[in-house]
Amino acid sequence: MTGLITSLIAQSGEWQAPTIDWHAIAPELVLIVGINLVLFIDLWIDESRKWAMATLTGIVLLAAFVPTVTLAVTGDDVRSMFDERYVIDNYALVLKALFLLVGYVVVLMSQTQLEEGGYYQGEFYVLMLASVLGMVMMTSSRDLVSMFVALELLSVPAYMLAAWRKRDGRSNEAGVKYYLLGVFASGVMLYGMSLIFGTTGSTKLVDIARSLGEGDLIAIQVLGVTFVIIGFAFKISAVPFHTWAPDTYEGAPTPVTAFLSVASKAAGFVAISSLVFIAFPAADEVYQPLLWVLSALTMTIGNLIALRQTNMVRMLAYSSVSQGGFILMPLAVAGSGDAAEPALKAVVVYLLIYAFTNLGAFAVVIAAARKTPSGSISSFGGLFVYAPGLTVLMTIFLASLAGVPPLGGWFAKFGAFRAVLEADTNAGYALAVVGAVNTVIATAYYMKVMRVMWMADVPDGDITPVVTPAPVQAALAITAAGTLALGVLPSLVVRFGDIADLSGALGR
Amino acid sequence: METITDQNWLLSVGTFLPLVGVLVMMVIPRAEEQLHKLVTIVASGATLAVGIYTATQFDFDRANAMQFYVNEEWIEVIRSNYALGLDGISMPLYLLSMVITFLVAIYTWDNMPEAGNPKAFGILMLVLQVGLAGTFVAQDLVLFFVFFEVVLLPMYFMIGVWGGAQRQYASLKFFLYTMFGSALMLVSILALFFQTGGESFGFLHFLDVAGTLDRDVQVWIFAGFFVGFAVKVPMFPFHTWLPDAHTEAPTQGSVILAAIMLKLGTYGFVRIAIPFLPNGAREWAPVIGILAVIGIIYGALGCLAQTDMKRLIAFSSVAHMGFTMLGISTLTEFGINAAIFGMVAHGLITGMLFFVAGSVKHRYHTLEISRLGGLLVSMPRLGWILGFCAMASLGLPGLAGFWGEFPAILSAYQPGFGLSEELYRVLMVIAAVGTVFAAGYLLWLYQRTAFGEPKAEFAQPVHSVSAAVNQEHDDDDHHVELHDVNRIEWIAWTPILVAIVALGIYPKLLFDITDPAVSDLVARLGEHLQP
């Protein structure tokens, strides 16, 4: 022990401050400054002016967007820091932009609800910004440790956000369930990471790849890879690790649910993609079957349970579980044949399109909430009569989730199918069949909601028009525009997610 | 295939112009009902004007070439292009879709279905038109699929919201059938793409490489397209959605369904399935022929059993599309020309029959054949129009229906590319018997509804006074007042009636446009067929 300490002290003498590329981590820095600003201003601001916190949070997120854009336009060179453990490449940038945008839309969605509920607005936004910071960091993490730190940073605030309505039993249940299972998943993942570190001698993803590629995997490494992926499988609520999701989604305030089902899930996928493409290319015989099973189960079980839901948010929760299965689909063949390239693209494009669409669906639920307090699907009956605009928007979002052209979802699904077919393996074709069947099943429950909205009678006969608050209108406009534009012109996003953008992928 | 790229903005404008109307309507408040109807009419009218201008610019001497051809990069990563083009096969259907939508918009002025809300109705109709026109001009499989699917949701809502009593069941059935067909078709599209080297989704590319595929592969891929298109046509045994959808749909929905949407299926066979997969087509042709003839007889028998006028017309569509498919299945120039003529003729005639049915329903509030009667007495003009359409529909020479049916039957005498003559001659005979059935059910329908005296419940002195006065009472079930064809109906119907006569007397009008393209198609088929 003393020996270790002395050696550490000895090393410290040679310690040098790492060179920091200030431009490259500007988005993170802006967020950090913003978190502190929101925290302090909230302490001093008058109660009647709390609404300003939402605006401020929005400004912080947009401000963080600026360096993301400038980084993207100034050259293609990959910027890396901290011994190449924190990398800002195009892959990271597009996903950073995604998380910032999602954060912004969620702020728009939560504003009115928080003001009306009188819930600790300042704290809410601080935690949300912290969570977004974790996600933004996740996109650049190329090391098991920084990945873990990012994961905890994004998760811990989310646990609290889920329990935000503290006098509501279900919200508390949502938070506790999410917390317990989340911590358990972290434990499993950490154990897996320690096994990998122990057998490869490094936490850096590219080094792990090199070490795993040297010979056949040993049993402990197989275990390590499996545990790490299972840890993230909790985050993306893949079946059978999804059990927290429906209760948490239903109990949490709706904007938080939207945030969890889109941003938090996407962060999980970002981590899995980084691992699969950078750290585990040599372990394809381990992760491919694992992800194949997860993907098939997630799609199928998520869909079958969604079919039977009577509560709108729960239905959307299970639908988002099953969408997760579709996003896993290309990853399950990422190591076969020529599939790596279309697979990464499919995941990134799917995440982008899914973000717009799913956020939009939740925004409609929030907008219609005053008329549908029970949240049951049947309470949306006749929405078309008194809120035609919301109905049309919801139809667009649901049809996009179902994959009906020309709305965004079709291209996302198309990309996923293309990747598994391009793998040209039996496993790939089998997964494509599972996916195709699930597409049709999913259509059934999306159609059910559309039918209720357009064709059923208004349950309580009250047809006074719904007034949508301006921020929610803005959220709807952004998400609907994204859903439509990406469906008609998918080439807007297909340039993202090139395998060449992800530095170090497949040992390159 | 040769392409002409002059004025290649025309098709994009013609296809997407209705969306301008949609945008305008979105900002107009819902209460302005007449204004919404007007915008729908103006938008669809402007679209038709562009369509007519396109027709004047069309080089009829080179109708086999893809004209106004656009080919821009769209989604380069999957090598799908924004490609539009118009040749002699697409042209009649492209124009037909515009004409029908325009006339339906006019008809809606006075005949808004019960659920009201012209804003939403008009928007759906215009979106539908974009999908329909787009399908007929798309020259890229992904683009084609997108347009093909765009049609789905508006029609679903049109039936589901504005339809009859069983509308929810009917609309869901329609949606699920079509969705199932599209899913299989999508698999075939992807399979075709990857099997031909994954280079392009362009139609012209597939035409070049057609026939290089292994025969068995072609047969399998054709199977997917077959189901996708056969559901839309609809062919026996995939037709069961059609009677429900047609019966429950509002008049406007029925007309658009019959006149244009069913053609998406037959057009798909002619444009995609057959030319891209020559060997698959030859192996499947007898199956298509047999199912087509079953459809003719089954549809006719179905008609004879109906007690509802609209349902009867719906079943007659199954029979008529059977003739069209029989013509296509012969794989001859003669048969395919007849099929395209049949598509247009059926679109006009059956569309018109649904208009008449809608107007009868509007006045009598029922379509029970047994309760109707004496149309010629109570409303002579409407009665005459019904008679005229029935004659056209049963294939009376001199009217358009004849030129769709008769050559199709004739073409089965000598099918192309070594298809079994014995089989096709049997089919020919059965199909010919089918025309007798057709005469049977249509004349019987006419006899029961138009002849004799009006039934007691509707008996009343004939009104010759202006229709507008009576119209206000229409919603009152207990006091039905009948009035003859009114002005709006005349405006909406006259062009169709004129076209039925014109095409009947001078079929060359249409055959001249389609023939060059079809003969090229058949010639290419011959080149690409593997022994």
Side-chain angles (χ1 to χ4, degrees):
Chain A
M1 195 65 190
T2 36
L4 182 67
I5 293 171
T6 16
S7 72
L8 279 174
I9 293 171
Q11 274 178 14
S12 70
E14 305 153 20
W15 189 82
Q16 288 177 326
T19 41
I20 291 177
D21 183 343
W22 296 102
H23 187 193
I25 55 165
E28 286 86 342
L29 293 177
V30 171
L31 283 175
I32 291 170
V33 172
I35 290 169
N36 289 300
L37 265 182
V38 175
L39 188 60
F40 281 107
I41 293 179
D42 179 56
L43 289 178
W44 306 115
I45 202 168
D46 189 60
E47 191 65 36
S48 62
R49 292 203 186 151
K50 288 278 183 187
W51 55 266
M53 304 319 297
T55 318
L56 183 62
T57 312
I59 292 172
V60 168
L61 286 163
L62 292 182
F65 207 87
V66 174
T68 316
V69 173
T70 57
L71 280 169
V73 291
T74 52
D76 305 324
D77 51 329
V78 175
R79 296 157 181 265
S80 56
M81 277 171 279
F82 313 123
D83 188 24
E84 291 173 357
R85 288 162 206 268
Y86 199 82
V87 177
I88 288 89
D89 47 18
N90 284 337
Y91 163 85
L93 283 175
V94 64
L95 291 163
K96 278 181 212 274
L98 170 72
F99 289 125
L100 293 171
L101 189 67
V102 170
Y104 183 69
V105 173
V106 171
V107 170
L108 290 176
M109 285 159 61
S110 23
Q111 205 167 346
T112 324
Q113 242 191 6
L114 285 176
E115 275 171 31
E116 282 170 4
Y119 296 121
Y120 316 96
Q121 294 178 51
E123 292 84 343
F124 181 92
Y125 293 120
V126 168
L127 289 176
M128 220 198 76
L129 282 175
S131 190
V132 171
L133 175 62
M135 293 162 187
V136 167
M137 284 174 62
M138 181 64 93
T139 62
S140 287
S141 300
R142 300 291 192 270
D143 182 284
L144 291 181
V145 177
S146 57
M147 252 179 177
F148 183 74
V149 171
L151 181 76
E152 292 304 300
L153 184 53
L154 77 90
S155 300
V156 175
Y159 302 145
M160 288 184 268
L161 290 177
W164 208 247
R165 284 193 305 216
K166 73 182 210 182
R167 282 173 205 85
D168 181 347
R170 283 189 308 168
S171 186
N172 286 318
E173 181 193 339
V176 171
K177 263 198 178 146
Y178 188 28
Y179 169 70
L180 287 177
L181 285 167
V183 169
F184 177 62
S186 296
V188 172
M189 188 191 318
L190 269 186
Y191 185 48
M193 285 179 172
S194 68
L195 292 179
I196 292 177
F197 173 64
T199 53
T200 62
S202 176
T203 56
K204 196 170 153 186
L205 299 188
V206 276
D207 291 346
I208 293 172
R210 206 168 299 131
S211 172
L212 288 179
E214 273 165 8
D216 288 342
L217 296 191
I218 56 174
I220 292 183
Q221 288 170 332
V222 172
L223 218 55
V225 170
T226 312
F227 279 178
V228 171
I229 288 182
I230 285 180
F232 283 111
F234 272 98
K235 208 73 224 161
I236 58 169
S237 59
V239 177
F241 312 109
H242 68 292
T243 44
W244 59 273
D247 291 331
T248 303
Y249 286 2
E250 191 187 350
T254 319
V256 175
T257 306
F259 185 64
L260 294 180
S261 77
V262 173
S264 167
K265 179 177 285 224
F269 276 108
V270 171
I272 293 186
S273 314
S274 305
L275 287 169
V276 159
F277 284 100
I278 302 176
F280 300 154
D284 56 345
E285 285 173 12
V286 181
Y287 76 77
Q288 287 203 116
L290 179 64
L291 290 179
W292 195 100
V293 173
L294 285 179
S295 166
L297 279 179
T298 307
M299 283 191 256
T300 314
I301 309 268
N303 264 337
L304 290 179
I305 305 181
L307 268 181
R308 302 182 45 204
Q309 297 308 311
T310 54
N311 179 291
M312 189 70 143
V313 173
R314 259 187 114 76
M315 191 282 282
L316 285 175
Y318 278 110
S319 125
S320 87
V321 168
S322 103
Q323 296 281 342
F326 280 102
I327 312 179
L328 275 176
M329 202 160 89
L331 289 174
V333 296
S336 319
D338 305 330
E341 182 150 10
L344 181 64
K345 200 176 270 296
V347 172
V348 172
V349 169
Y350 207 120
L351 287 176
L352 291 169
I353 293 175
Y354 168 78
F356 282 109
T357 307
N358 219 40
L359 280 180
F362 277 108
V364 174
V365 172
I366 290 170
R370 233 163 301 174
K371 283 286 295 179
T372 57
S374 70
S376 68
I377 292 178
S378 58
S379 71
F380 282 78
L383 191 70
F384 178 58
V385 177
Y386 58 84
L390 287 181
T391 311
V392 169
L393 287 172
M394 190 64 163
T395 306
I396 289 176
F397 296 130
L398 292 177
S400 173
L401 285 173
V404 177
L407 305 163
W410 84 271
F411 189 74
K413 288 222 161 77
F414 191 95
F417 280 109
R418 175 167 163 262
V420 286
L421 290 178
E422 203 138 306
D424 202 20
T425 57
N426 288 335
Y429 288 119
L431 196 56
V433 171
V434 176
V437 171
N438 273 296
T439 308
V440 178
I441 300 179
T443 311
Y445 56 82
Y446 295 129
M447 290 299 290
K448 184 166 95 180
V449 178
M450 289 187 211
R451 200 169 70 234
V452 168
M453 290 188 310
W454 285 74
M455 301 170 201
D457 294 324
V458 187
D460 56 0
D462 174 17
I463 55 164
T464 41
V466 171
V467 182
T468 309
V472 179
Q473 275 181 10
L476 284 169
I478 295 174
T479 50
T483 306
L484 281 169
L486 296 187
V488 178
L489 291 172
S491 35
L492 292 174
V493 285
V494 285
R495 77 184 65 156
F496 301 129
D498 268 339
I499 197 104
D501 288 350
L502 179 56
S503 58
L506 308 174
R508 275 179 235 166
Chain B
M1 184 180 267
E2 120 188 74
T3 55
I4 303 173
T5 52
D6 293 346
Q7 302 196 66
N8 65 7
W9 48 273
L10 261 177
L11 295 179
S12 305
V13 173
T15 305
F16 293 108
L17 192 59
L19 289 184
V20 176
V22 171
L23 290 178
V24 171
M25 287 168 83
M26 268 166 33
V27 297
I28 300 176
R30 189 164 148 197
E32 304 274 349
E33 301 212 334
Q34 293 306 93
L35 185 60
H36 281 294
K37 291 178 186 171
L38 188 69
V39 175
T40 316
I41 295 173
V42 170
S44 54
T47 311
L48 176 61
V50 174
I52 291 172
Y53 176 72
T54 311
T56 61
Q57 299 300 305
F58 190 79
D59 186 348
F60 289 94
D61 296 331
R62 296 163 72 188
N64 55 341
M66 270 303 155
Q67 310 198 9
F68 316 109
Y69 189 70
V70 201
N71 196 6
E72 297 290 331
E73 227 168 50
W74 180 38
I75 318 175
E76 65 271 32
V77 65
I78 57 167
R79 297 183 186 82
S80 167
N81 281 7
Y82 174 78
L84 301 180
L86 197 70
D87 70 352
I89 298 176
S90 304
M91 224 277 275
L93 297 167
Y94 179 64
L95 270 188
L96 180 71
S97 73
M98 293 173 167
V99 172
I100 295 290
T101 303
F102 176 57
L103 297 180
V104 165
I106 293 178
Y107 180 80
T108 309
W109 183 263
D110 255 5
N111 295 284
M112 192 58 211
E114 248 175 65
N117 198 346
K119 178 175 182 177
F121 195 73
I123 288 179
L124 287 181
M125 212 153 79
L126 291 175
V127 173
L128 197 59
Q129 164 62 22
V130 173
L132 293 167
T135 313
F136 291 131
V137 291
Q139 299 297 329
D140 178 284
L141 259 185
V142 175
L143 190 65
F144 174 87
F145 184 75
V146 169
F147 280 125
F148 197 79
E149 296 291 294
V150 165
V151 172
L152 209 54
L153 276 179
M155 189 42 94
Y156 169 75
F157 290 124
M158 206 179 252
I159 300 173
V161 177
W162 287 272
Q166 298 286 314
R167 58 181 186 270
Q168 295 207 13
Y169 167 75
S171 58
L172 190 64
K173 197 168 172 183
F174 161 77
F175 193 90
L176 290 181
Y177 264 76
T178 324
M179 189 78 191
F180 169 71
S182 327
L184 287 177
M185 190 167 88
L186 185 60
V187 174
S188 279
I189 289 177
L190 287 175
L192 186 63
F193 175 67
F194 284 118
Q195 292 289 339
T196 53
E199 283 169 28
S200 164
F201 275 105
F203 283 9
L204 302 188
H205 166 73
F206 287 123
L207 283 180
D208 284 341
V209 299
T212 57
L213 281 181
D214 191 51
R215 213 185 60 171
D216 293 340
V217 175
Q218 287 196 36
V219 170
W220 280 108
I221 297 180
F222 195 95
F225 280 118
F226 172 77
V227 176
F229 293 136
V231 166
K232 258 303 198 284
V233 171
M235 288 183 76
F236 179 89
F238 304 107
H239 67 282
T240 59
W241 63 269
L242 177 119
D244 290 310
H246 266 313
T247 314
E248 299 305 327
T251 306
Q252 288 86 340
S254 304
V255 173
I256 294 177
L257 254 179
I260 323 170
M261 267 185 76
L262 302 189
K263 277 73 202 175
L264 297 184
T266 40
Y267 174 78
F269 276 108
V270 176
R271 171 67 72 204
I272 293 171
I274 292 175
F276 296 176
L277 301 158
N279 275 85
R282 193 177 58 184
E283 302 299 319
W284 275 87
V287 180
I288 297 177
I290 292 169
L291 289 177
V293 169
I294 294 179
I296 295 174
I297 299 298
Y298 181 91
L301 293 177
C303 283
L304 288 171
Q306 298 310 314
T307 57
D308 182 289
M309 184 167 157
K310 211 171 171 190
R311 221 177 152 80
L312 189 152
I313 302 171
F315 263 105
S316 81
S317 280
V318 177
H320 282 118
M321 295 317 275
F323 286 109
T324 304
M325 288 313 298
L326 177 66
I328 292 175
S329 77
T330 61
L331 301 183
T332 56
E333 197 184 324
F334 202 48
I336 295 178
N337 267 319
I340 298 171
F341 201 104
M343 291 181 216
V344 175
H346 172 264
L348 295 170
I349 297 169
T350 309
M352 192 57 223
L353 277 171
F354 276 117
F355 266 137
V356 172
S359 287
V360 169
K361 169 99 181 182
H362 194 66
R363 291 166 171 81
Y364 287 90
H365 297 277
T366 181
L367 283 167
E368 271 307 303
I369 297 173
S370 57
R371 287 176 64 194
L372 303 172
L375 260 184
L376 281 170
V377 176
S378 50
M379 293 180 282
R381 295 193 185 91
L382 191 66
W384 274 109
I385 293 177
L386 176 62
F388 175 82
C389 296
M391 295 304 150
S393 183
L394 64 82
L396 195 74
L399 297 176
F402 177 75
W403 299 105
E405 255 175 54
F406 177 68
I409 299 172
L410 212 57
S411 70
Y413 183 75
Q414 197 145 38
F417 305 116
L419 293 169
S420 155
E421 284 191 6
E422 291 81 8
L423 172 71
Y424 271 87
R425 285 187 189 163
V426 173
L427 294 181
M428 182 184 83
V429 172
I430 304 177
V433 173
T435 59
V436 179
F437 278 121
Y441 62 75
L442 284 162
L443 291 177
W444 196 32
L445 166 76
Y446 192 53
Q447 185 195 349
R448 284 180 294 171
T449 54
F451 291 173
E453 288 299 315
K455 296 281 154 54
E457 57 178 322
F458 299 113
Q460 58 165 346
V462 181
H463 279 262
S464 52
V465 265
S466 133
V469 182
N470 295 329
Q471 206 161 357
E472 292 162 19
H473 299 286
D474 270 355
D475 297 327
D476 188 354
D477 252 313
H478 306 288
H479 183 71
V480 182
E481 289 204 44
L482 305 178
H483 57 85
D484 212 333
V485 183
N486 66 26
R487 191 185 304 145
I488 290 292
E489 286 168 338
W490 275 124
I491 297 174
W493 295 352
T494 312
I496 303 183
L497 298 174
V498 170
I500 293 175
V501 177
L503 288 179
I505 296 173
Y506 196 63
K508 227 167 107 62
L509 213 56
L510 192 53
F511 280 134
D512 271 356
I513 305 175
T514 59
D515 188 53
V518 173
S519 71
D520 261 26
L521 188 159
V522 175
R524 261 198 314 273
L525 214 54
E527 287 164 25
H528 289 307
L529 263 179
Q530 300 155 17

